[in-house]
Amino acid sequence: MRFSVVETGYDQRQVDSCLDELGVRLTRLAARAEVAAGAGREWDQIRQEATLLRGLVDRQGSPTDDAAVAARRAASAVEREAAEILAQARGELDAAREEARQLRERVYAEAVQARREFEAALHERRRREARVDQLLAGVAADAVPADTPTAAASTGGVPATRAAAGAPEVSAQRPEPGTRVA
C-alpha cells in the first residue's frame, strides 16, 4: 500500500479505497471461516448421529449377527468420512485464520510505515516553516523619518497645501443652522 503524500497528509481517496479493499478481503475470509465452521458443526452432528446408530445396533443384536456387523461397518465408515470432512474443514478454517493473521500483520506494518512517512513529512514541513520564520525575523523594516522627502514632494508633484496650489482658503467655521452654504 502506497499513498500519495499531499499537503495535509495522505490522499484520502487512496486511503479510503485501501480500507474498502481490506474490508472486502476480511469479509471474504470471515465468510470462508463461517462456512468451514458450519461444515464442522454439521459433521459433528453426523458423527453424533452415527454414534447413536451404532449404539442402537449394538443393543439389538449380538456381535455375530450379520445385520449388526454390517450396521457397525456402515457406522464406522460414516464416522471415518465425517472425521475426514471435519479435518478438512478444520484445515480450511486454520488456513483462513492464518491468511487473516498475515493480512492483519501486513496491514499493520503498512499502517506503521505510512504513519512514519506522515510524521517525517510533517517534521520536514515544520522544519521549513521554522526556517521561513527565521528568515522573516531577520528582515528588518527600517522606519522612515517623518521629514524624509517623498516623490510627491518633489518638483511638479502634489502640492503640500491648498494655499501652495493657489486655491482659495477654506473656512474652518461651521455655518449657522438653517443657512445656505454657497
Side-chain angles (χ1 to χ4, degrees), residues 110-159:
E110 290 172 358
V112 166
Q113 181 63 30
R115 181 179 179 137
R116 287 181 184 150
E117 291 171 2
F118 173 75
E119 288 174 350
L122 183 62
H123 176 72
E124 180 62 23
R125 182 172 183 255
R126 287 180 179 160
R127 189 189 65 74
R128 286 192 313 258
E129 181 184 355
R131 179 69 178 141
V132 166
D133 287 344
Q134 182 184 22
L135 290 173
L136 290 177
V139 175
D142 296 332
V144 178
D147 60 345
T148 303
T150 62
S154 67
T155 21
V158 178

Side-chain angles (χ1 to χ4, degrees), residues 12-182:
Q12 189 65 37
R13 287 178 291 154
Q14 288 178 340
V15 173
D16 290 342
S17 173
C18 178
L19 291 176
D20 291 342
E21 181 182 336
L22 290 175
V24 168
R25 283 183 175 180
L26 287 174
T27 302
R28 286 181 189 155
L29 284 174
R32 286 177 58 191
E34 186 63 34
V35 167
R41 283 187 232 116
E42 187 175 314
W43 291 114
D44 284 341
Q45 291 173 348
I46 292 171
R47 178 184 285 155
Q48 289 173 353
E49 190 173 326
T51 303
L52 289 173
L53 288 173
R54 187 174 184 186
L56 274 172
V57 170
D58 285 344
R59 284 188 227 125
Q60 287 182 356
S62 66
T64 57
D65 188 26
D66 289 335
V69 170
R72 278 192 217 115
R73 285 186 188 146
S76 29
V78 169
E79 283 181 357
R80 277 193 303 276
E81 186 180 348
E84 289 172 9
I85 292 172
L86 180 61
Q88 180 184 0
R90 286 186 177 151
E92 289 177 8
L93 178 61
D94 289 342
R97 284 180 178 159
E98 178 62 21
E99 186 178 345
R101 184 191 63 77
Q102 289 174 356
L103 181 62
R104 275 193 312 270
E105 287 177 0
R106 190 174 74 235
V107 167
Y108 180 76
E110 290 172 358
V112 166
Q113 181 63 30
R115 181 179 179 137
R116 287 181 184 150
E117 291 171 2
F118 173 75
E119 288 174 350
L122 183 62
H123 176 72
E124 180 62 23
R125 182 172 183 255
R126 287 180 179 160
R127 189 189 65 74
R128 286 192 313 258
E129 181 184 355
R131 179 69 178 141
V132 166
D133 287 344
Q134 182 184 22
L135 290 173
L136 290 177
V139 175
D142 296 332
V144 178
D147 60 345
T148 303
T150 62
S154 67
T155 21
V158 178
T161 65
R162 290 181 187 248
E169 200 156 316
V170 178
S171 170
Q173 295 177 1
R174 291 188 173 203
E176 292 289 325
T179 61
R180 281 189 111 169
V181 178

